[in-house]
């Protein structure tokens, strides 16, 4: 009997230990898979976040370019007032530079004009692998793009006035403008604000945004946004839910990045050797490859859980039920939080911050989809007449109120067949499903009338506003041709004196 008791005790102990170890193995593998899946999802979330941060700054720089695109030369001296609001909205955008196109025979007069505002202004360049050089050095008498205004106008930035690029890379940027009409992003550079020395660290990146003439056949200048890229990576690391168990390396695969392709690398990158995950993001003309690594198979909490499961082998079944419930619950909660956050990021990527309308990227995707499906539709573009005057007269908060008011008016008028977007500044566009000029004309005139008859009410007074509108019915042409037709119709409305509707034949 005693031997049987020992046998039962030993057998029960062995069976309990066996099932405990078996359960521990199951939980161990489940935790590994769960951690791996969370690691991949967190890596994807970080890539989306980085892309959004940079694209938001590019939109800010585009707003600066639009200031020079739509404003008159008399308004250009007000650039610091406009630029200050842009820089205050970004941690990484440190400067905006207006590079005006100047012919060789215009340099002397341009220098005199600018010196009335900036007495120390003189043109200079920094040729590749050469020191700072004053004067015009171009060999083929081509025009130069001179830093004519800058913000902030502080001690670090004022000496940059007069700078123009004499390098081949800048000419390639201009050529790309004429081909695509899109902004261009540089590789990693050393900031002139930091130092002109060749051994200075490369902590910056430039975004070149074209400013075209009205006919969009020539470039009258370039808006350059100076970005301190280290702030992106600091935000990237600080926002991860995996803490110090995640390291990142970002590699630029774009043009001219071969000599120094690594944009960022965590200091402990080489110390990590476990899971690795690679994704990529497209930043205008460049593609960044992003690599993530983690070094922890299990967290401290998971190790402690397995240890106590072994100690409590006699109660293993009970512990397994609790632990599986906890692991499943935690996994579901994390997945749910990640799904919610991913959905929020997707919404931010496709909508305008101020008005809540679709943004430029979203409306272009809708146009492309309608063309691919051969859906009958039209594109309407409009902007607010004399919107800068509204801002100057009443203030930017009131200007924002006007933008939101018009957004709400037009949204309430449109039905589910229409997609309404704010492109930036006071520019809006509408994609609507219809198939006749008559229907398009009625809708365009209705929208024009709705906006004109309903002024914006702000703290007891009315702000009257009108719009200039251009529209085009899709006739089978490309997306670019349709957008150009609508823009030309809008331009005709402005040329007629504004507060007009023009339908492209």
């Amino acid at each position: 009997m005693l031997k049987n008791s020992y046998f039962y005790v030993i057998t029960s102990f062995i069976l309990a230990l066996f099932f405990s170890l078996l359960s521990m193995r199951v939980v161990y593998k489940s935790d590994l898979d769960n951690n791996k899946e969370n690691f991949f999802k967190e890596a994807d979330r970080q890539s989306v976040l980085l892309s959004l941060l940079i694209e938001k700054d590019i939109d800010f720089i585009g707003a600066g370019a639009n200031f020079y695109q739509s404003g008159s030369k008399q308004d250009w001296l007000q650039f610091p007032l406009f630029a200050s609001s842009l820089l205050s909205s970004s941690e990484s955008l440190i400067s905006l530079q207006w590079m005006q196109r100047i012919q060789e025979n215009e340099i002397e007069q341009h220098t005199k004009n600018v010196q009335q505002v900036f007495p120390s202004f003189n043109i200079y360049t920094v040729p590749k692998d050469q020191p700072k050089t004053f004067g015009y050095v171009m060999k083929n008498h081509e025009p130069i793009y001179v830093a004519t205004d800058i913000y902030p106008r502080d001690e670090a930035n004022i000496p940059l006035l007069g700078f123009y690029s004499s390098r081949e890379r800048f000419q390639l940027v201009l050529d790309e403008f004429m081909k695509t009409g899109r902004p261009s992003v540089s590789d990693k550079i050393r900031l002139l604000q930091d130092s002109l020395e060749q051994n200075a660290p490369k902590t910056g990146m430039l975004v070149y945004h074209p400013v075209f003439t009205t006919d969009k056949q020539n470039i009258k200048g370039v808006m350059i946004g100076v970005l301190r890229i280290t702030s992106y990576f600091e935000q990237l690391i600080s926002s991860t839910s995996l803490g110090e168990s995640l390291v990142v390396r970002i590699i630029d695969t774009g043009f001219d990045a071969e000599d120094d392709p690594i944009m960022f690398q965590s200091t402990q990158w080489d110390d990590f050797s476990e899971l690795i995950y690679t994704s990529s993001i497209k930043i205008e003309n460049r593609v960044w490859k992003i690599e993530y690594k983690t070094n922890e198979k299990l967290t401290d909490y998971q190790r402690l859980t397995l240890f106590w499961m072994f100690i409590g082998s006699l109660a293993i079944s009970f512990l397994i039920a609790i632990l599986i419930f906890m692991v499943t619950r935690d996994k579901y909660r994390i997945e749910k939080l990640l799904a919610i956050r991913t959905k929020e990021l997707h919404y931010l990527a496709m909508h305008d911050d101020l008005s809540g309308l679709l943004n430029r990227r979203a409306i272009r995707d809708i146009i492309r989809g309608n063309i691919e499906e051969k859906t009958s539709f039209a594109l309407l573009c409009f902007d607010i007449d004399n919107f800068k005057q509204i801002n100057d007269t009443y203030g930017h908060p009131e200007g924002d109120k006007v933008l939101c008011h018009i957004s709400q008016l037009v949204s309430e008028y449109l039905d589910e067949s229409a997609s309404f977007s704010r492109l930036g500044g006071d520019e809006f566009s509408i994609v609507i499903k219809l198939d006749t000029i008559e229907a398009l004309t009625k809708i365009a005139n209705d929208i024009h009338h709705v906006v004109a008859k309903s002024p914006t009410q702000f703290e007891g007074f009315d702000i009257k506003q009108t719009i200039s509108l251009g529209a085009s019915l899709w006739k089978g042409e490309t997306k670019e041709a349709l957008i150009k037709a609508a823009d030309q119709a809008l331009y005709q409305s402005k040329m007629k004196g504004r507060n007009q509707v023009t339908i492209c034949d």
Side-chain angles (χ1 to χ4, degrees):
M1 181 65 69
L2 185 59
K3 289 183 179 181
N4 288 338
S5 298
Y6 286 151
F7 174 78
Y8 290 137
V9 170
I10 294 173
T11 301
S12 299
F13 176 78
I14 292 174
L15 287 174
L17 183 60
F18 171 77
F19 284 111
S20 178
L21 293 174
L22 183 61
S23 300
M24 287 174 62
R25 177 175 174 78
V26 172
V27 173
Y28 175 77
K29 288 186 63 65
S30 175
D31 285 344
L32 284 181
D33 292 340
N34 186 39
N35 291 350
K36 182 178 180 180
E37 185 178 353
N38 289 338
F39 167 64
F40 290 164
K41 289 184 178 180
E42 178 64 12
D44 284 333
R45 190 184 76 85
Q46 291 296 305
S47 297
V48 172
L49 176 61
L50 177 60
S51 177
L52 287 176
L53 289 172
I54 298 175
E55 288 176 2
K56 189 172 184 179
D57 281 338
I58 292 177
D59 287 343
F60 286 153
I61 296 165
N66 188 61
F67 174 85
Y68 284 95
Q69 179 83 47
S70 59
S72 63
K73 287 191 175 181
Q74 289 77 10
D75 297 328
W76 288 1
L77 289 177
Q78 304 301 318
F79 175 64
L81 298 176
F82 182 78
S84 63
S85 65
L86 298 179
L87 266 65
S88 64
S89 302
S90 173
E91 296 181 9
S92 46
L93 181 59
I94 64 171
S95 177
L96 287 172
Q97 302 175 15
W98 166 235
M99 311 291 285
Q100 188 170 340
R101 185 177 188 267
I102 305 297
Q103 298 286 351
E104 182 180 2
N105 60 2
E106 298 173 338
I107 292 175
E108 182 177 353
Q109 185 59 50
H110 181 72
T111 299
K112 291 179 181 179
N113 292 341
V114 180
Q115 284 178 344
Q116 294 179 10
V117 181
F118 304 104
S120 62
F121 177 87
N122 277 301
I123 68 167
Y124 72 92
T125 187
V126 183
K128 189 171 183 178
D129 301 324
Q130 297 182 35
K132 180 178 180 180
T133 303
F134 286 93
Y136 181 84
V137 301
M138 310 301 281
K139 296 180 180 179
N140 299 319
H141 306 286
E142 60 261 41
I144 57 177
Y145 292 78
V146 181
T148 302
D149 204 348
I150 195 167
Y151 187 84
R153 292 179 175 177
D154 54 24
E155 294 182 1
N157 282 331
I158 290 298
L160 302 181
L161 291 173
F163 171 77
Y164 69 94
S165 177
S166 57
R167 301 187 183 186
E168 180 183 2
R169 177 167 56 184
F170 186 74
Q171 184 58 49
L172 293 175
V173 170
L174 297 177
D175 294 342
E176 188 175 346
F177 286 162
M178 300 307 298
K179 291 179 181 178
T180 68
R182 296 290 304 162
S184 181
V185 179
S186 75
D187 57 334
K188 183 174 62 172
I189 63 168
R190 59 183 59 87
L191 296 177
L192 296 179
Q193 286 89 343
D194 294 339
S195 173
L196 293 175
E197 298 297 327
Q198 293 296 317
N199 59 355
K202 295 181 178 181
T203 61
M205 181 176 73
L206 300 181
V207 175
Y208 304 88
H209 204 296
V211 178
F212 287 100
T213 54
T214 303
D215 59 8
K216 295 190 177 180
Q217 299 301 311
N218 294 289
I219 300 173
K220 64 181 178 181
V222 179
M223 175 60 60
I224 296 183
V226 183
L227 301 173
R228 191 174 295 280
I229 57 178
T230 50
S231 67
Y232 293 130
F233 309 136
E234 289 168 358
Q235 293 181 66
L236 189 70
I237 296 300
S238 63
S239 66
T240 177
S241 63
L242 299 181
E244 297 180 355
S245 64
L246 177 71
V247 292
V248 182
R249 180 167 67 181
I250 300 175
I251 301 173
D252 185 3
T253 64
F255 173 77
D256 228 14
E258 297 85 358
D259 58 336
D260 190 6
I262 297 179
M263 304 291 288
F264 172 79
Q265 180 173 298
S266 298
T267 55
Q268 294 179 302
W269 175 263
D270 293 330
D271 298 332
F272 281 58
S273 58
E274 294 297 336
L275 282 176
I276 184 168
Y277 179 76
T278 301
S279 65
S280 63
I281 59 174
K282 190 175 188 303
I283 309 297
E284 293 294 342
N285 54 305
R286 312 192 76 81
V287 175
W288 286 1
K289 183 171 72 172
I290 309 178
E291 298 177 340
Y292 301 88
K293 282 201 295 188
T294 182
N295 216 21
E296 288 192 355
K297 290 185 176 181
L298 294 177
T299 64
D300 292 341
Y301 169 76
Q302 291 165 334
R303 293 192 188 97
L304 185 62
T305 298
L306 291 174
F307 171 76
W308 283 111
M309 284 179 65
F310 177 74
I311 297 300
S313 58
L314 295 179
I316 190 66
S317 298
F318 177 72
L319 292 176
I320 288 176
I322 294 177
L323 288 170
I324 289 178
F325 170 76
M326 293 175 61
V327 170
T328 304
R329 183 192 61 185
D330 289 345
K331 179 180 178 181
Y332 174 76
R333 179 178 59 84
I334 293 173
E335 288 178 346
K336 185 176 180 181
L337 290 175
L338 287 174
I340 292 172
R341 184 56 179 158
T342 301
K343 185 176 181 180
E344 290 174 350
L345 291 174
H346 179 74
Y347 179 87
L348 291 174
M350 305 300 286
H351 290 76
D352 173 55
D353 290 344
L354 176 64
S355 64
L357 300 177
L358 297 173
N359 61 17
R360 185 184 299 271
R361 171 193 287 180
I363 204 70
R364 284 178 175 268
D365 287 346
I366 291 172
I367 293 174
R368 184 186 303 110
N370 283 341
I371 291 175
E372 290 175 352
E373 296 174 3
K374 301 187 182 304
T375 301
S376 297
F377 73 101
L379 174 63
L380 299 84
C381 297
F382 69 85
D383 58 24
I384 304 170
D385 296 329
N386 302 312
F387 182 69
K388 182 180 181 303
Q389 184 177 346
I390 293 175
N391 276 334
D392 292 344
T393 302
Y394 301 100
H396 285 281
E398 290 79 357
D400 288 347
K401 181 72 173 179
V402 171
L403 292 172
C404 293
H405 178 64
I406 291 178
S407 299
Q408 182 178 359
L409 282 176
V410 177
S411 295
E412 291 175 351
Y413 169 79
L414 297 172
D415 59 23
E416 294 181 354
S417 67
S419 300
F420 187 23
S421 72
R422 180 184 174 217
L423 305 180
D426 63 327
E427 299 178 63
F428 296 83
S429 70
I430 303 169
V431 172
I432 187 166
K433 295 180 180 179
L434 46 78
D435 52 12
T436 65
I437 289 291
E438 291 76 15
L440 175 58
T441 302
K442 180 182 183 306
I443 289 174
N445 285 317
D446 286 350
I447 292 173
H448 178 263
H449 181 65
V450 164
V451 173
K453 75 175 184 179
S454 179
T456 303
Q457 296 180 349
F458 191 89
E459 295 184 356
F461 61 89
D462 290 347
I463 302 175
K464 296 182 178 180
Q465 75 277 309
T466 60
I467 61 173
S468 297
L469 188 148
S472 178
L473 189 68
W474 180 62
K475 308 178 188 66
E477 68 269 39
T478 64
K479 177 186 71 175
E480 291 73 17
L482 175 63
I483 294 174
K484 184 176 181 179
D487 284 343
Q488 288 176 343
L490 173 58
Y491 176 72
Q492 291 179 22
S493 292
K494 293 180 180 179
M495 291 300 98
K496 293 176 185 176
R498 304 181 185 273
N499 192 19
Q500 302 284 333
V501 173
T502 302
I503 308 298
C504 180
D505 295 331

